[in-house]
Amino acid sequence: MIRLTTKKFYITTPIYYPNRPPHIGSAYTTVIADILARYYESLGYEVFFLTGTDEHGMKLFKEAKNKGISPKEYVDSMVPFFKRAWESLDIRYRRFIRTTDPDHEETVKRIVMRIYEKGDIYKGVYRGLYCVECERYYTAKDLVDGKLCPIHLKPVEYLEMEVYYFRLSKYQDDLIRLYKENTRFVLPAERKQYLIRKIEEEGLKDVAITRPRWYLSWGIECPWDSDHVLYVWVDALLNYISGVGYINDREKFEKFWPPNVQLIGKDILWFHAVIWPALLMSAGFELPQTIFAHGFLTVNGKKISKSLGTDIDPIDLVNKYGSDTIRYYLARAIPFGEDGDFSEKDLVRYHNDELANEIGNLIYRVLTLTERYFGGITPEASRLTDIDKEIIGELRKHLNEYHNFMKNLQVHHAVMRTIMFAQTINAYLNKTAPWSCWKKGDKDSVARAIRNSLDWIYVLTAMMYPFMPRTADKISKQLGLDSIPRLSDVRLIGNIKPGHKLGEKEILFKKL
Ligand code: ME8
């Protein structure tokens, strides 16, 4: 029997703390994840894309207390902000996981129990420093001026309490081996080098993974000791297992595990590249293929924060510019992996120069020519000329590079190749000048230039789809197609048949 196996792609974002609505930083990770999910979907992979909210821990508990409501009421009231923002940005997640979901709580208990039974958890006393904003421990030398958290610049707390520890130190050699042998496990490569250096210099210490209930009750109960609740980070990391159906859809879990790409910001690298794989090794799960830690965004050169007014609401941006322009800008302007700055001035420039002038003009131009000379019907044309073949060679190079960049998570380069693909078609039109050929009565050359350009716009549409699904849909309609071309099906010639009637043309991007 022939078994058809479909390739799978499982991608995750961090689950965000719902103590404030999403901003352009959380939107950034989520948009890039959606771009990669749509890319693999268009290639014919079965895709599972997980995002959600991280709802336990001291930070959420304190915020709720300040508001005079229960933690659950509080998180329930905040989750819609995330769902609405992601909807406005056309984020097509397959599940929105909340760590208060019952199947998540059950999964967490089962997995930590497994780790406990293996002997990797023991009781001890924690004495040290903690930042509630980060929900993480610090040592004095990590702090700014000896007292402030290096990320939030707020004073840390001193904690002294009985806790259960996870034997992270036991996994030190396995982790170092993992980083060295599996070159794609942590990307970009500099981040991996940082981890190796830090672990080799300082050594791994065991990590506290519970809190006594007298200190914090808002969390998942520790399954072997009801006087403790689990540390919010252990609870949160395991969302990547529960979210893909570990308890409530075993078939899905078997199909998609392990994650292919886990996107995070560089702020949470330690949890994802050190604690997470160690927990998985201990519990006996296959490890994710790649943890990719991107850089941090500032807004007009300033840190994103409520007090500085830089916590821009993505929905406001979408209302002003449309989701495709925001998605395009985030993918295009910030080299994926590096820090970057978000500025509306730049966004407008990219919109005008690249979207309106290159892509919008190209499509309008080709549709206008088809209408003028062939009544909006794809013409029949004779064999390819040497110029056509040369251009096809160039386009093939851009398309191949586009795929290489997408697969290597160099999303910004893939966008560049899309623009270069459009520029090459524009240059082809200038070179073949169908309007002059028409004047000379060379109808065959006109037909060839138009037929080829339409075929290549078809490919361009498929390349644009992951970044700009709305625009890809509009172009497909203008081309008279029933659906958006898929990357798995496109060819460099022969996509659109002669006699095919195009749709109505329309300006794609108004200049801002
Ligand atoms: O850390 N630039 O949640 P969080 C780019 N709940 N990305 C940014 C950013 C910025 N300025 N600010 C935030 C948590 N991000 C935990 C995660 S996962 C098991 C638990 C993005 O709400 C980036 O992806 O603080 C970063 O890692 C994440 O938001 C932190 O979100």
Side-chain angles (χ1 to χ4, degrees), residues 39 55-56 71 79 119 131-132 147 170 219 349 431 448 474:
Y39 170 73
E55 305 188 353
H56 291 125
V79 164
C131 169
V132 172
K147 55 177 188 293
K170 176 176 157 190
R349 188 164 54 80
K431 201 160 177 179
R448 195 178 319 102
K474 282 188 201 157

Side-chain angles (χ1 to χ4, degrees), residues 196-342:
I196 295 176
R197 255 195 332 272
K198 190 165 163 74
I199 297 175
E200 285 182 342
E201 275 168 22
E202 297 174 13
L204 278 185
K205 295 185 186 56
D206 293 345
V207 47
I209 57 152
T210 67
R211 296 278 180 275
R213 199 175 275 285
W214 61 258
Y215 172 72
L216 175 66
S217 57
W218 177 235
I220 299 177
E221 185 171 296
C222 175
W224 61 87
D225 185 342
S226 58
D227 288 341
H228 284 252
V229 297
L230 295 167
Y231 172 39
V232 62
W233 264 101
V234 170
D235 164 355
L237 287 166
L238 297 178
N239 93 86
Y240 303 128
I241 299 179
S242 50
V244 65
Y246 186 69
I247 287 211
N248 61 6
D249 190 346
R250 202 58 191 206
E251 205 178 313
K252 187 192 287 158
F253 178 80
E254 301 293 341
K255 181 191 287 171
F256 287 103
W257 191 263
N260 297 75
V261 175
Q262 300 206 263
L263 296 187
I264 54 167
K266 64 179 184 181
D267 54 332
I268 54 177
L269 178 68
W270 188 258
F271 293 98
H272 283 81
V274 181
I275 300 179
W276 171 229
L279 289 172
L280 291 174
M281 286 174 188
S282 173
F285 283 83
E286 203 180 324
L287 300 184
Q289 282 170 10
T290 296
I291 310 286
F292 189 102
H294 64 66
F296 248 44
L297 301 190
T298 46
V299 171
N300 299 320
K302 295 198 199 97
K303 188 172 150 60
I304 299 178
S305 91
K306 200 170 166 183
S307 52
L308 295 174
T310 44
D311 59 338
I312 319 172
D313 180 349
I315 299 182
D316 289 343
L317 282 175
V318 170
N319 289 340
K320 203 160 159 192
Y321 301 108
S323 68
D324 274 10
T325 293
I326 314 288
R327 292 170 64 104
Y328 179 80
Y329 171 73
L330 290 174
R332 163 73 175 92
I334 298 133
F336 196 52
E338 294 171 26
D339 291 340
D341 187 48
F342 179 94

Side-chain angles (χ1 to χ4, degrees), residues 42-219:
S42 179
L43 275 182
Y45 285 56
E46 262 197 80
V47 170
F48 193 75
F49 169 16
L50 182 69
T51 190
T53 40
D54 185 357
E55 305 188 353
H56 291 125
M58 188 52 100
K59 172 156 62 178
L60 271 308
F61 180 79
K62 282 189 171 170
E63 293 268 359
K65 205 166 165 203
N66 286 341
K67 296 207 156 41
I69 52 178
S70 75
K72 183 65 167 61
E73 280 171 319
Y74 176 54
V75 291
D76 283 350
S77 74
M78 293 303 289
V79 164
F81 286 101
F82 286 82
K83 292 195 170 166
R84 279 199 296 267
W86 300 160
E87 193 186 336
S88 80
L89 281 163
D90 296 310
I91 305 294
R92 272 223 335 248
Y93 53 77
R94 305 304 193 272
R95 176 169 176 189
F96 187 102
I97 187 166
R98 300 182 52 184
T99 51
T100 48
D101 287 342
D103 70 311
H104 172 75
E105 299 201 354
E106 184 54 35
T107 303
V108 171
K109 285 185 185 167
R110 273 203 217 171
I111 293 172
V112 289
M113 196 64 201
R114 233 204 255 183
I115 298 174
Y116 181 70
E117 281 166 356
K118 188 167 172 184
D120 278 351
I121 292 175
Y122 63 92
K123 206 170 193 177
V125 175
Y126 179 76
R127 288 184 195 87
L129 305 166
Y130 192 75
C131 169
V132 172
E133 286 286 318
C134 299
E135 295 281 13
R136 68 173 285 183
Y137 310 100
Y138 281 105
T139 51
K141 73 171 179 31
D142 297 326
L143 303 179
V144 173
D145 297 337
K147 55 177 188 293
L148 305 178
C149 152
I151 298 197
H152 297 94
L153 303 177
K154 289 189 182 163
V156 293
E157 288 183 2
Y158 177 75
L159 304 185
E160 183 167 340
M161 55 187 60
E162 196 171 66
V163 295
Y164 285 93
Y165 279 96
F166 168 61
R167 289 186 203 280
L168 183 61
S169 57
K170 176 176 157 190
Y171 293 92
Q172 174 158 336
D173 294 344
D174 291 334
L175 288 169
I176 296 281
R177 198 171 319 115
L178 168 70
Y179 307 141
K180 291 191 174 164
E181 285 174 7
N182 184 345
T183 52
R184 281 182 70 95
F185 181 71
V186 179
L187 288 175
E190 315 84 82
R191 304 218 193 274
K192 179 182 67 187
Q193 293 310 337
Y194 160 80
L195 288 175
I196 295 176
R197 255 195 332 272
K198 190 165 163 74
I199 297 175
E200 285 182 342
E201 275 168 22
E202 297 174 13
L204 278 185
K205 295 185 186 56
D206 293 345
V207 47
I209 57 152
T210 67
R211 296 278 180 275
R213 199 175 275 285
W214 61 258
Y215 172 72
L216 175 66
S217 57
W218 177 235

Side-chain angles (χ1 to χ4, degrees), residues 373-393:
Y373 302 131
F374 302 101
I377 296 195
T378 316
E380 177 111 47
S382 58
R383 283 184 303 121
L384 299 174
T385 65
D386 287 345
I387 295 185
D388 299 346
K389 287 181 194 156
E390 197 185 306
I391 297 287
I392 288 175

